[in-house]
Amino acid sequence: MKEILGESIYFGFFITIGAYYIGLQLKRKLKLGIFNPLLIAIFLVMGVLVLTGIDYEAYQQGGRFVSDLLTPATVCLAIPLYKQLHLLRKHGLAVFVGISSGVLTSAVCIFVFCKLFRLGHEHYVTLLPKSITTAIGMGVSEEAGGIVTLTVISIIVTGIVGNICAEMLCRLAGIIHPVAKGLAIGTSAHAVGTAKALELGEIEGAMSSLSIAVAGLLTVVVVPLASGLL
């Protein structure tokens, strides 16, 4: 059985889609933020691989088909932005300042974190792209000399935590304007956070989509400048 599943190039694809579907159904029924479909899918896939004894390389033969859809899916987020283009024209300066402050805040927090825990330069540049989408973050980390695998993990964890906590944190911080909500979520929690922003409303989703692209571009500029600080 192990050999048959391990040799199938579609095994990774179907187990990934199936695990996410289960997570999605749990979230819909239980309606609790902690039951994030992506988080549940990660643990389910890990459990299946452990129980079947199939190694990651065999799983990735099919799993990569899902990964290949990441960039096109991110580009598709431009659709809600296009529908709300008038808001971008109206709040252009506030949008740019908000996203820029978010990117700089993230870089400062990572610097302080690495100082507190005495992490070296390699780990510092590994964590710097944690708040941008994986498609951009992997390249930024590799170029800066970081550990790409750990960068991907930090991006995923950041997105899941953002997705789970975004609504609560906005409420605690008194952020009620839909544009401000979208910018905050997209800048700090990239595409996974944007999924939550889209649940909150079309305006939140559009602004969060914009934040992914702009925050990614700004991070590409900021990381080489900030990497020399540690």
Side-chain angles (χ1 to χ4, degrees):
M1 184 68 174
K2 171 185 172 182
E3 288 74 15
I4 295 175
L5 291 175
E7 290 176 2
S8 173
I9 62 171
Y10 299 109
F11 167 73
F13 175 79
F14 286 115
I15 196 64
T16 302
I17 297 298
Y20 185 79
Y21 178 78
I22 292 172
L24 204 60
Q25 294 306 309
L26 282 173
K27 175 68 182 296
R28 286 174 178 171
K29 288 184 178 181
L30 300 176
K31 301 184 184 302
L32 293 174
I34 192 65
F35 289 98
N36 180 274
L38 181 57
L39 181 62
I40 293 172
I42 289 172
F43 284 110
L44 285 178
V45 170
M46 288 171 60
V48 170
L49 295 183
V50 170
L51 290 174
T52 60
I54 296 174
D55 57 37
Y56 178 77
E57 287 70 23
Y59 159 77
Q60 184 62 6
Q61 290 182 35
R64 62 183 174 83
F65 294 129
V66 179
S67 301
D68 290 342
L69 296 173
L70 180 62
T71 301
T74 303
V75 173
C76 287
L77 291 173
I79 295 174
L81 173 62
Y82 176 76
K83 293 180 179 179
Q84 302 293 334
L85 206 56
H86 63 283
L87 287 175
L88 178 58
R89 297 192 187 100
K90 182 179 179 180
H91 303 286
L93 181 59
V95 166
F96 181 75
V97 172
I99 297 174
S100 299
S101 61
V103 171
L104 291 174
T105 300
S106 175
V108 170
C109 288
I110 291 299
F111 177 79
V112 173
F113 175 85
C114 290
K115 278 289 189 181
L116 287 175
F117 291 92
R118 302 180 184 277
L119 299 181
H121 174 79
E122 186 179 33
H123 292 95
Y124 172 56
V125 296
T126 294
L127 294 173
L128 277 175
K130 71 171 182 61
S131 293
I132 61 175
T133 185
T134 310
I136 302 175
M138 291 174 65
V140 172
S141 176
E142 185 176 12
E143 185 70 24
I147 306 169
V148 178
T149 305
L150 291 181
T151 298
V152 172
I153 293 173
S154 68
I155 290 172
I156 292 173
V157 171
T158 300
I160 291 175
V161 172
N163 185 288
I164 294 172
C165 301
E167 190 173 6
M168 177 188 68
L169 290 176
C170 284
R171 191 161 53 246
L172 289 174
I175 302 174
I176 57 175
H177 198 288
V179 173
K181 282 185 180 180
L183 293 176
I185 296 171
T187 303
S188 59
H190 53 82
V192 183
T194 299
K196 182 63 179 181
L198 286 166
E199 291 179 15
L200 297 178
E202 192 171 354
I203 295 175
E204 288 90 334
M207 293 299 104
S208 188
S209 302
L210 171 66
S211 300
I212 294 175
V214 178
L217 292 174
L218 289 176
T219 302
V220 170
V221 176
V222 169
V223 168
L225 299 174
S227 60
L229 299 176
L230 186 64

